[in-house]
């Protein structure tokens, strides 16, 4: 049977490049030294088992896991997520093959011929569609006359794939297909969120935690879709936690400015200012923006100078490191790490669970 390749969108972000440390001043959580300490799911030895010792000291397996809790949680989450995605793709393929084989038998033809018949041979592509694709994907790199035939071929192929997808969905609906494959038990991260800025109802069923960096371009692009999660879905709240990356020189100063706005109840106003002016982030600009959003400047300046403000940012970073944050933006839905900005389908599934 012909296997139809479905188009997808890959979301990326600002990645750490310094061996897992967000910044040289970040303080990771201290390992739990208690006998039998439990830290990360999937431990293959008892937590209290000694794995290294020397005269006057020893290290247990639990302590080893606690020291690398974030990386281990991220690896386990990635593994379980990828396994589940592969299982679901394979299951869907087998279901489709069975349905197509049955439909082809009833039609008196082969599965291959039946599948070919689902895709229209002649697809009309309008000049408007061609121009729109060119403007969004190609303009500025190659002239239209050179790429037009390839654009037309791609748009026709995409339309044929969509027609096949729709026909297969109709087969599934008619056959009343239900999938009972359980989702994997993904390790959940725990966060101390009291006093952290959030949008949405306080008693929301779904809690989304975002780790972000005001200098990261991917974070600024995610700001709109993240806000829409709350605007478009009842029962969702989104927390903003800081994760300034060390190679972004204005990431920590801008995070401190946002924290000082938060201290006066205007975090989101400063949040918007920083992302709206991302290419012009500078320490002499933060007081200007603080004044523009109506902050008490004496309190603001005292807050910026207070070491406790930077410590609050570092506390966010330590939580992120322990949770396995590898870059920004990073999202967690009810404690479970999610790749990319959550979409409405993911949020609906969380609300329905």
């Amino acid at each position: 049977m012909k296997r139809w390749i479905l188009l997808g969108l890959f979301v990326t972000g600002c990645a750490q490049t310094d061996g897992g440390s967000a910044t040289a001043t970040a303080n990771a959580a201290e390992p739990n030294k208690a006998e039998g300490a439990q830290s990360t799911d999937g431990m293959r030895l008892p937590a209290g088992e000694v794995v290294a010792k020397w005269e006057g000291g020893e290290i247990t397996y639990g302590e080893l896991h606690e020291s690398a809790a974030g990386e281990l949680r991220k690896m386990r989450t990635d593994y379980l997520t990828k396994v589940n995605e592969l299982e679901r793709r394979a299951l869907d393929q087998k279901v489709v093959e069975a349905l197509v084989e049955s439909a082809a038998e009833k039609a008196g033809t082969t599965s291959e011929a039946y599948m070919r018949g689902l895709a229209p041979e002649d697809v009309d592509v309008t000049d408007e569609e061609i121009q729109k694709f060119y403007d969004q994907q190609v303009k500025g790199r190659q002239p239209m006359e050179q790429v037009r035939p390839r654009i037309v071929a791609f748009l026709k192929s995409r339309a044929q794939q969509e027609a096949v997808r729709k026909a297969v969905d109709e087969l599934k609906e008619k056959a009343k297909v239900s999938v009972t494959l359980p989702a994997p038990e993904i390790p959940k991260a725990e966060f101390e969120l009291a006093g952290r800025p959030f949008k949405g109802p306080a008693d929301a069923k779904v809690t989304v935690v975002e780790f972000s960096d005001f200098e990261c371009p991917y974070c600024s692009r995610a700001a709109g879709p993240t806000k829409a999660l709350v605007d478009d879905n009842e029962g969702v709240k989104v927390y903003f936690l800081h994760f300034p990356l060390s190679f972004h020189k204005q990431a920590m100063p801008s995070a401190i400015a946002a924290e000082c706005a938060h201290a006066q109840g205007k975090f989101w106003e400063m949040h918007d200012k920083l992302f709206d002016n991302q290419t012009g982030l500078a320490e002499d600009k933060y007081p200007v923006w603080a004044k523009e959003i109506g902050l008490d400047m004496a309190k603001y300046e005292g807050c910026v100078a207070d070491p406790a403000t930077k410590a609050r940012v570092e506390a966010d970073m330590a939580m992120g490191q322990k949770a396995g944050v590898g870059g920004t933006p990073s999202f967690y839905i009810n404690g479970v790490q999610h790749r990319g900005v959550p979409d409405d389908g993911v949020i609906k599934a969380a609300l329905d669970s």
Side-chain angles (χ1 to χ4, degrees):
M1 176 187 300
K2 185 171 183 178
R3 294 176 183 263
W4 293 83
I5 300 172
L6 303 181
L7 304 175
L9 175 66
F10 292 87
V11 180
T12 185
C14 297
Q16 294 185 166
T17 58
D18 53 355
S21 173
T23 183
T25 57
N27 298 314
E30 286 295 319
N32 183 355
K33 296 294 183 181
E35 179 69 19
Q38 297 287 336
S39 60
T40 304
D41 291 340
M43 293 197 296
R44 59 189 178 89
L45 298 175
E49 184 166 330
V50 175
V51 293
K53 60 182 177 180
W54 58 94
E55 188 175 338
E58 65 180 30
I59 297 173
T60 67
Y61 190 65
E63 292 170 346
L64 169 63
H65 259 248
E66 187 68 28
S67 68
E71 293 90 340
L72 289 167
R73 180 182 285 109
K74 184 177 186 300
M75 289 176 66
R76 184 166 176 78
T77 297
D78 288 346
Y79 169 75
L80 291 173
T81 300
K82 289 176 181 178
V83 167
N84 184 244
E85 289 173 352
L86 187 151
E87 289 175 340
R88 288 186 173 275
R89 286 198 302 270
L91 178 60
D92 186 68
Q93 184 67 38
K94 289 188 71 65
V95 168
V96 170
E97 287 175 355
L99 294 177
V100 168
E101 184 178 354
S102 176
E105 186 176 351
K106 291 178 182 178
T109 185
T110 65
S111 296
E112 290 78 4
Y114 184 87
M115 283 294 287
R116 285 196 298 270
L118 296 180
E121 293 184 6
D122 190 22
V123 177
D124 290 329
V125 178
T126 67
D127 289 339
E128 183 180 359
E129 291 173 319
I130 297 169
Q131 188 65 50
K132 182 178 179 180
F133 184 90
Y134 177 81
D135 291 342
Q136 293 178 344
Q137 305 290 338
V138 185
K139 191 174 182 178
R141 299 197 302 272
Q142 290 179 286
M144 170 67 88
E145 57 269 20
Q146 288 185 7
V147 297
R148 182 184 174 91
R150 281 181 286 164
I151 293 176
V152 171
F154 172 79
L155 292 176
K156 285 186 175 183
S157 175
R158 186 171 67 178
Q160 288 173 326
Q161 289 186 45
E162 189 57 37
V164 171
R165 192 204 313 260
K166 183 178 179 181
V168 167
D169 286 343
E170 290 173 355
L171 282 177
K172 290 180 182 178
E173 184 176 355
K174 185 177 180 180
K176 299 181 180 179
V177 173
S178 64
V179 175
T180 56
L181 179 69
E185 290 292 329
I186 302 292
K188 291 187 177 182
E190 295 183 358
F191 304 110
E192 177 51 62
L193 299 174
R196 306 312 301 140
F198 72 90
K199 284 187 174 183
D203 61 349
K205 180 179 179 180
V206 174
T207 297
V208 177
V209 173
E210 176 190 11
F211 286 89
S212 189
D213 172 331
F214 286 112
E215 198 173 350
C216 170
Y218 301 101
C219 295
S220 64
R221 293 173 200 168
T226 301
K227 180 177 181 295
L229 293 179
V230 175
D231 294 343
D232 299 343
N233 299 280
E234 294 182 3
V236 177
K237 62 179 173 181
V238 178
Y239 281 88
F240 184 103
L241 271 65
H242 300 287
F243 204 81
L245 300 170
S246 60
F247 56 89
H248 287 157
K249 301 307 179 186
Q250 290 300 318
M252 177 59 79
S254 59
I256 289 173
E259 273 298 294
C260 291
H262 180 47
Q264 296 189 43
K266 293 198 173 185
F267 173 83
W268 295 106
E269 290 86 342
M270 182 60 84
H271 166 283
D272 293 346
K273 279 283 186 184
L274 294 169
F275 276 139
D276 288 346
N277 297 278
Q278 189 176 64
T279 58
L281 295 179
E283 293 191 54
D284 62 342
K285 296 289 184 65
Y286 306 138
V288 175
W289 297 332
K291 190 173 183 179
E292 287 179 0
I293 64 174
L295 298 186
D296 181 313
M297 293 309 295
K299 290 181 179 179
Y300 172 82
E301 290 166 3
C303 176
V304 170
D306 188 348
T309 306
K310 186 177 181 181
R312 287 195 295 275
V313 175
E314 290 174 340
D316 283 3
M317 295 161 62
M319 282 195 285
Q321 289 169 344
K322 191 171 183 179
V325 172
T328 55
S330 284
F331 294 88
Y332 293 77
I333 304 173
N334 288 341
V336 177
Q337 194 167 21
H338 178 78
R339 288 186 292 175
V341 183
D343 58 26
D344 285 343
V346 172
I347 294 299
K348 184 179 185 303
L351 287 167
D352 292 343
S353 64

Short mmCIF file of all heavy atoms in Angstrom, two decimals, residues 3 6 79-97 172 177-186 339 349:
data_model
loop_
_atom_site.label_atom_id
_atom_site.label_comp_id
_atom_site.label_asym_id
_atom_site.label_seq_id
_atom_site.Cartn_x
_atom_site.Cartn_y
_atom_site.Cartn_z
N ARG A 3 2.14 4.63 1.24
CA ARG A 3 2.09 5.33 2.53
C ARG A 3 2.16 6.83 2.25
O ARG A 3 3.10 7.32 1.62
CB ARG A 3 3.26 4.90 3.42
CG ARG A 3 3.15 3.44 3.83
CD ARG A 3 4.35 2.99 4.63
NE ARG A 3 4.26 1.58 4.94
CZ ARG A 3 3.81 1.10 6.07
NH1 ARG A 3 3.40 1.93 7.00
NH2 ARG A 3 3.75 -0.20 6.28
N LEU A 6 2.36 12.86 5.72
CA LEU A 6 1.59 14.02 6.16
C LEU A 6 2.53 15.13 6.59
O LEU A 6 3.55 14.89 7.22
CB LEU A 6 0.66 13.62 7.32
CG LEU A 6 -0.29 12.47 6.98
CD1 LEU A 6 -1.18 12.17 8.17
CD2 LEU A 6 -1.13 12.80 5.76
N TYR A 79 12.02 9.96 25.71
CA TYR A 79 11.95 8.55 25.28
C TYR A 79 10.51 8.06 25.28
O TYR A 79 10.03 7.50 24.28
CB TYR A 79 12.80 7.69 26.20
CG TYR A 79 12.59 6.20 26.00
CD1 TYR A 79 13.11 5.55 24.89
CD2 TYR A 79 11.84 5.47 26.91
CE1 TYR A 79 12.89 4.19 24.69
CE2 TYR A 79 11.62 4.11 26.72
CZ TYR A 79 12.15 3.47 25.62
OH TYR A 79 11.93 2.14 25.42
N LEU A 80 9.79 8.27 26.39
CA LEU A 80 8.42 7.77 26.48
C LEU A 80 7.52 8.46 25.46
O LEU A 80 6.63 7.83 24.87
CB LEU A 80 7.89 8.00 27.90
CG LEU A 80 8.52 7.14 28.99
CD1 LEU A 80 8.02 7.57 30.36
CD2 LEU A 80 8.23 5.66 28.76
N THR A 81 7.75 9.76 25.24
CA THR A 81 6.94 10.50 24.27
C THR A 81 7.17 9.98 22.85
O THR A 81 6.22 9.78 22.09
CB THR A 81 7.27 12.00 24.33
OG1 THR A 81 6.99 12.50 25.64
CG2 THR A 81 6.45 12.79 23.32
N LYS A 82 8.44 9.75 22.50
CA LYS A 82 8.75 9.26 21.15
C LYS A 82 8.22 7.85 20.94
O LYS A 82 7.74 7.51 19.85
CB LYS A 82 10.26 9.33 20.92
CG LYS A 82 10.78 10.75 20.75
CD LYS A 82 12.28 10.79 20.62
CE LYS A 82 12.77 12.24 20.49
NZ LYS A 82 14.25 12.31 20.40
N VAL A 83 8.33 7.01 21.97
CA VAL A 83 7.79 5.65 21.86
C VAL A 83 6.28 5.70 21.63
O VAL A 83 5.74 4.99 20.79
CB VAL A 83 8.11 4.83 23.13
CG1 VAL A 83 7.29 3.55 23.18
CG2 VAL A 83 9.60 4.48 23.17
N ASN A 84 5.60 6.58 22.40
CA ASN A 84 4.15 6.69 22.26
C ASN A 84 3.77 7.21 20.88
O ASN A 84 2.81 6.72 20.27
CB ASN A 84 3.60 7.62 23.34
CG ASN A 84 2.09 7.72 23.32
OD1 ASN A 84 1.52 8.78 23.07
ND2 ASN A 84 1.41 6.62 23.58
N GLU A 85 4.53 8.18 20.37
CA GLU A 85 4.25 8.71 19.03
C GLU A 85 4.43 7.62 17.97
O GLU A 85 3.62 7.50 17.05
CB GLU A 85 5.17 9.90 18.73
CG GLU A 85 4.83 11.14 19.54
CD GLU A 85 5.85 12.25 19.34
OE1 GLU A 85 6.90 11.98 18.70
OE2 GLU A 85 5.62 13.36 19.83
N LEU A 86 5.50 6.83 18.10
CA LEU A 86 5.74 5.75 17.14
C LEU A 86 4.62 4.71 17.23
O LEU A 86 4.12 4.25 16.19
CB LEU A 86 7.10 5.11 17.42
CG LEU A 86 7.58 4.07 16.40
CD1 LEU A 86 9.10 4.05 16.35
CD2 LEU A 86 7.07 2.67 16.71
N GLU A 87 4.24 4.34 18.46
CA GLU A 87 3.17 3.36 18.63
C GLU A 87 1.87 3.84 17.99
O GLU A 87 1.17 3.07 17.32
CB GLU A 87 2.94 3.09 20.11
CG GLU A 87 4.05 2.30 20.79
CD GLU A 87 3.83 2.17 22.28
OE1 GLU A 87 3.07 2.98 22.85
OE2 GLU A 87 4.44 1.27 22.88
N ARG A 88 1.55 5.11 18.19
CA ARG A 88 0.30 5.64 17.66
C ARG A 88 0.33 5.73 16.14
O ARG A 88 -0.68 5.49 15.47
CB ARG A 88 -0.01 7.01 18.28
CG ARG A 88 -0.43 6.88 19.74
CD ARG A 88 -0.88 8.19 20.36
NE ARG A 88 -1.41 7.94 21.69
CZ ARG A 88 -2.65 7.58 21.96
NH1 ARG A 88 -3.52 7.42 20.98
NH2 ARG A 88 -3.04 7.37 23.21
N ARG A 89 1.48 6.10 15.57
CA ARG A 89 1.58 6.12 14.11
C ARG A 89 1.44 4.71 13.54
O ARG A 89 0.74 4.49 12.54
CB ARG A 89 2.93 6.72 13.67
CG ARG A 89 3.02 8.23 13.84
CD ARG A 89 4.17 8.79 13.00
NE ARG A 89 5.44 8.19 13.36
CZ ARG A 89 6.26 8.65 14.28
NH1 ARG A 89 5.93 9.73 14.98
NH2 ARG A 89 7.42 8.06 14.53
N ALA A 90 2.12 3.74 14.19
CA ALA A 90 2.05 2.36 13.71
C ALA A 90 0.64 1.81 13.86
O ALA A 90 0.13 1.10 12.97
CB ALA A 90 3.05 1.50 14.49
N LEU A 91 -0.02 2.13 14.97
CA LEU A 91 -1.39 1.67 15.18
C LEU A 91 -2.33 2.26 14.15
O LEU A 91 -3.18 1.56 13.58
CB LEU A 91 -1.85 2.04 16.60
CG LEU A 91 -3.29 1.68 16.98
CD1 LEU A 91 -3.50 0.17 16.89
CD2 LEU A 91 -3.61 2.18 18.38
N ASP A 92 -2.18 3.57 13.91
CA ASP A 92 -3.02 4.22 12.91
C ASP A 92 -2.81 3.61 11.53
O ASP A 92 -3.77 3.39 10.78
CB ASP A 92 -2.72 5.72 12.88
CG ASP A 92 -3.66 6.48 11.96
OD1 ASP A 92 -4.86 6.57 12.28
OD2 ASP A 92 -3.20 6.97 10.90
N GLN A 93 -1.55 3.31 11.21
CA GLN A 93 -1.26 2.71 9.91
C GLN A 93 -1.94 1.35 9.77
O GLN A 93 -2.51 1.02 8.72
CB GLN A 93 0.26 2.56 9.73
CG GLN A 93 0.68 2.03 8.38
CD GLN A 93 0.38 3.02 7.25
OE1 GLN A 93 0.53 4.23 7.42
NE2 GLN A 93 -0.07 2.51 6.11
N LYS A 94 -1.87 0.54 10.82
CA LYS A 94 -2.48 -0.79 10.77
C LYS A 94 -4.01 -0.70 10.65
O LYS A 94 -4.64 -1.47 9.93
CB LYS A 94 -2.09 -1.61 12.00
CG LYS A 94 -0.63 -2.04 12.01
CD LYS A 94 -0.33 -3.00 13.13
CE LYS A 94 -0.95 -4.37 12.88
NZ LYS A 94 -0.38 -5.05 11.72
N VAL A 95 -4.61 0.26 11.37
CA VAL A 95 -6.06 0.46 11.28
C VAL A 95 -6.45 0.86 9.86
O VAL A 95 -7.39 0.32 9.27
CB VAL A 95 -6.52 1.52 12.30
CG1 VAL A 95 -7.97 1.95 12.02
CG2 VAL A 95 -6.40 1.00 13.73
N VAL A 96 -5.69 1.82 9.30
CA VAL A 96 -5.98 2.28 7.94
C VAL A 96 -5.83 1.15 6.94
O VAL A 96 -6.66 0.97 6.03
CB VAL A 96 -5.07 3.47 7.57
CG1 VAL A 96 -5.20 3.80 6.08
CG2 VAL A 96 -5.41 4.69 8.41
N GLU A 97 -4.76 0.36 7.07
CA GLU A 97 -4.55 -0.75 6.15
C GLU A 97 -5.72 -1.73 6.19
O GLU A 97 -6.19 -2.21 5.16
CB GLU A 97 -3.25 -1.47 6.49
CG GLU A 97 -2.01 -0.68 6.10
CD GLU A 97 -0.73 -1.36 6.56
OE1 GLU A 97 -0.83 -2.40 7.25
OE2 GLU A 97 0.36 -0.86 6.24
N LYS A 172 -12.72 5.85 8.87
CA LYS A 172 -12.60 5.63 10.31
C LYS A 172 -13.91 5.96 11.02
O LYS A 172 -14.36 5.22 11.91
CB LYS A 172 -11.48 6.51 10.89
CG LYS A 172 -10.08 6.10 10.49
CD LYS A 172 -9.09 7.07 11.14
CE LYS A 172 -7.68 6.76 10.74
NZ LYS A 172 -6.71 7.73 11.33
N VAL A 177 -14.11 3.73 14.61
CA VAL A 177 -12.82 3.37 15.19
C VAL A 177 -12.62 4.08 16.52
O VAL A 177 -12.87 5.29 16.64
CB VAL A 177 -11.67 3.75 14.22
CG1 VAL A 177 -10.31 3.54 14.90
CG2 VAL A 177 -11.76 2.93 12.95
N SER A 178 -12.20 3.35 17.52
CA SER A 178 -11.84 3.96 18.81
C SER A 178 -10.47 3.43 19.20
O SER A 178 -10.17 2.24 19.03
CB SER A 178 -12.86 3.61 19.89
OG SER A 178 -12.89 2.22 20.14
N VAL A 179 -9.62 4.30 19.71
CA VAL A 179 -8.26 3.94 20.10
C VAL A 179 -8.19 3.88 21.62
O VAL A 179 -8.50 4.87 22.29
CB VAL A 179 -7.23 4.94 19.55
CG1 VAL A 179 -5.83 4.62 20.08
CG2 VAL A 179 -7.24 4.92 18.03
N THR A 180 -7.80 2.74 22.14
CA THR A 180 -7.72 2.56 23.60
C THR A 180 -6.29 2.41 24.09
O THR A 180 -6.07 2.07 25.25
CB THR A 180 -8.54 1.33 24.01
OG1 THR A 180 -8.06 0.18 23.29
CG2 THR A 180 -10.02 1.53 23.71
N LEU A 181 -5.33 2.65 23.19
CA LEU A 181 -3.92 2.59 23.60
C LEU A 181 -3.67 3.63 24.69
O LEU A 181 -3.86 4.82 24.46
CB LEU A 181 -3.01 2.86 22.40
CG LEU A 181 -1.51 2.86 22.67
CD1 LEU A 181 -1.03 1.43 22.99
CD2 LEU A 181 -0.75 3.41 21.47
N PRO A 182 -3.25 3.22 25.89
CA PRO A 182 -3.07 4.19 26.97
C PRO A 182 -1.84 5.06 26.75
O PRO A 182 -0.86 4.64 26.13
CB PRO A 182 -2.89 3.31 28.22
CG PRO A 182 -2.33 2.03 27.68
CD PRO A 182 -2.96 1.84 26.33
N ALA A 183 -1.92 6.28 27.24
CA ALA A 183 -0.77 7.18 27.19
C ALA A 183 0.27 6.72 28.20
O ALA A 183 -0.07 6.12 29.22
CB ALA A 183 -1.21 8.61 27.49
N PRO A 184 1.55 6.97 27.95
CA PRO A 184 2.58 6.55 28.90
C PRO A 184 2.54 7.38 30.18
O PRO A 184 2.03 8.50 30.19
CB PRO A 184 3.89 6.80 28.13
CG PRO A 184 3.55 7.91 27.18
CD PRO A 184 2.12 7.67 26.79
N GLU A 185 3.06 6.83 31.25
CA GLU A 185 3.16 7.55 32.51
C GLU A 185 4.40 8.43 32.46
O GLU A 185 5.50 8.00 32.78
CB GLU A 185 3.23 6.58 33.69
CG GLU A 185 1.93 5.84 33.96
CD GLU A 185 0.83 6.77 34.49
OE1 GLU A 185 1.17 7.76 35.17
OE2 GLU A 185 -0.35 6.51 34.21
N ILE A 186 4.21 9.68 32.05
CA ILE A 186 5.32 10.62 31.92
C ILE A 186 5.69 11.16 33.31
O ILE A 186 4.82 11.56 34.07
CB ILE A 186 4.96 11.79 31.00
CG1 ILE A 186 4.56 11.27 29.61
CG2 ILE A 186 6.10 12.78 30.89
CD1 ILE A 186 5.68 10.65 28.83
N ARG A 339 6.64 19.41 24.20
CA ARG A 339 7.50 20.00 23.18
C ARG A 339 6.74 21.05 22.38
O ARG A 339 5.71 20.75 21.75
CB ARG A 339 8.02 18.90 22.24
CG ARG A 339 9.07 18.02 22.89
CD ARG A 339 9.67 17.05 21.90
NE ARG A 339 8.71 16.05 21.47
CZ ARG A 339 8.96 15.13 20.54
NH1 ARG A 339 10.11 15.11 19.93
NH2 ARG A 339 8.05 14.25 20.20
N ALA A 349 -7.36 18.00 25.40
CA ALA A 349 -7.12 16.67 25.95
C ALA A 349 -6.84 16.76 27.45
O ALA A 349 -7.32 15.93 28.23
CB ALA A 349 -5.96 16.01 25.23
#
